Amino acid sequence: MIKVCLADNHPVTHFGVKSYFKDHDDISIVANVGNFSMVRDILQTKEIDILILDLELEGLSSIFEVKSILKNFPKTKIVIFSDLAEQMYAPNAIKAGVSGYVHKTEKLETLGISIIKVHEGKVIINETVRKNMALIAKQSKSERLYRKLSNREIEVLRYLSDGKKNNEISKILNLNEKTISTYKLRLLTKLNVTNLVDLVNKAKTLEII
């Protein structure tokens, strides 16, 4: 039996997932947590094969925290279950070491299949995303720019789009405010815009956020 922990902000998600897998032959939901601080506690006290993780989980501010979990608990694999833009976040999540990315618009049956395949050692990513990644090398430099955003740049862009100021973002990510300003400048350059409003609008148009 594959032992799974679901880490998600929303009670309705916990109820739906737990109900769906209640009588599953291969998958058992053995733990449910509602914030990131509880994830480490669960992994220290229970044997978890697969962690189902929402990137917008309360207390999770950076993909680097996910990498830390993978480093400290190497026997646990992570599947991202999120409604964030898949074509932007999935490649970076896979690069960080997670084993799968399932968008919340998918059926729970798809999540179940993904859990089993990840437990078997496979990496799960949407076929469209996979094809898009394969096509990146064939695109012009300008077309590739927004796909070359680093994990940090994506995180900063996400907080900027939420209306947060540089000093607020620096506290969330535990970085110097000048560093945040540098990331903001890089984002303006990479997305070829000159102000914050255009930056956020272009990011939305490209479905980065």
Side-chain angles (χ1 to χ4, degrees), residues 30-97:
V30 299
N32 292 268
V33 298
N35 61 68
F36 191 68
S37 64
M38 296 173 66
V39 170
R40 191 176 295 273
D41 293 337
I42 287 294
L43 294 180
Q44 288 176 336
T45 57
K46 288 190 176 184
E47 183 179 334
I48 302 296
D49 298 311
I50 307 289
L51 172 64
I52 304 300
L53 179 66
D54 188 345
L55 288 177
E56 296 183 290
L57 181 68
E58 181 181 347
L60 174 59
S61 61
S62 170
I63 193 69
F64 293 93
E65 292 177 311
V66 176
K67 293 176 71 172
S68 176
I69 289 293
L70 289 166
K71 179 181 179 180
N72 292 313
F73 302 94
K75 292 183 179 180
T76 300
K77 296 179 181 179
I78 295 179
V79 173
I80 300 300
F81 188 47
S82 177
D83 58 10
L84 290 175
E86 191 171 3
Q87 64 270 32
M88 193 66 227
Y89 286 88
N92 285 281
I94 297 298
K95 182 180 178 181

Side-chain angles (χ1 to χ4, degrees), residues 145 149 153 157 160 181-200 202:
L145 281 178
L149 299 184
E153 288 166 346
L157 178 55
L160 286 171
S181 297
T182 299
Y183 281 124
K184 183 177 177 180
L185 180 59
R186 289 179 186 173
L187 287 165
L188 291 169
T189 301
K190 287 188 175 184
L191 294 184
N192 194 29
V193 291
T194 58
N195 59 72
L196 180 58
V197 173
D198 288 345
L199 175 67
V200 173
K202 189 162 187 179

Side-chain angles (χ1 to χ4, degrees), residues 10-194:
H10 309 291
V12 66
T13 301
H14 285 280
F15 177 80
V17 171
K18 194 170 183 178
S19 298
Y20 181 83
F21 292 107
K22 183 179 179 180
D23 300 314
H24 200 281
D25 292 335
D26 303 306
I27 299 169
S28 176
I29 307 298
V30 299
N32 292 268
V33 298
N35 61 68
F36 191 68
S37 64
M38 296 173 66
V39 170
R40 191 176 295 273
D41 293 337
I42 287 294
L43 294 180
Q44 288 176 336
T45 57
K46 288 190 176 184
E47 183 179 334
I48 302 296
D49 298 311
I50 307 289
L51 172 64
I52 304 300
L53 179 66
D54 188 345
L55 288 177
E56 296 183 290
L57 181 68
E58 181 181 347
L60 174 59
S61 61
S62 170
I63 193 69
F64 293 93
E65 292 177 311
V66 176
K67 293 176 71 172
S68 176
I69 289 293
L70 289 166
K71 179 181 179 180
N72 292 313
F73 302 94
K75 292 183 179 180
T76 300
K77 296 179 181 179
I78 295 179
V79 173
I80 300 300
F81 188 47
S82 177
D83 58 10
L84 290 175
E86 191 171 3
Q87 64 270 32
M88 193 66 227
Y89 286 88
N92 285 281
I94 297 298
K95 182 180 178 181
V98 307
S99 298
Y101 194 109
V102 179
H103 198 271
K104 283 189 173 180
T105 55
E106 296 284 354
K107 296 179 180 178
L108 287 177
E109 178 184 3
T110 301
L111 178 61
I113 293 172
S114 299
I115 290 171
I116 292 172
K117 288 185 176 180
V118 164
H119 189 253
E120 293 172 347
K122 299 176 182 177
V123 175
I124 304 301
I125 189 171
N126 181 281
E127 186 61 28
T128 300
V129 175
R130 192 187 301 276
K131 289 180 180 178
N132 286 344
M133 290 172 67
L135 289 173
I136 290 176
K138 298 180 181 179
Q139 296 175 329
S140 67
K141 184 177 180 180
S142 61
E143 290 174 319
R144 295 200 307 267
L145 281 178
Y146 80 94
R147 296 182 184 276
K148 287 190 173 183
L149 299 184
S150 69
N151 288 332
R152 279 296 191 204
E153 288 166 346
I154 292 172
E155 289 167 354
V156 171
L157 178 55
R158 180 178 165 192
Y159 288 122
L160 286 171
S161 71
D162 287 339
K164 289 183 169 55
K165 305 298 183 182
N166 287 9
N167 63 330
E168 295 176 304
I169 300 173
S170 68
K171 292 178 181 178
I172 293 172
L173 297 180
N174 194 28
L175 294 172
N176 187 285
E177 189 173 344
K178 290 183 179 180
T179 302
I180 301 301
S181 297
T182 299
Y183 281 124
K184 183 177 177 180
L185 180 59
R186 289 179 186 173
L187 287 165
L188 291 169
T189 301
K190 287 188 175 184
L191 294 184
N192 194 29
V193 291
T194 58

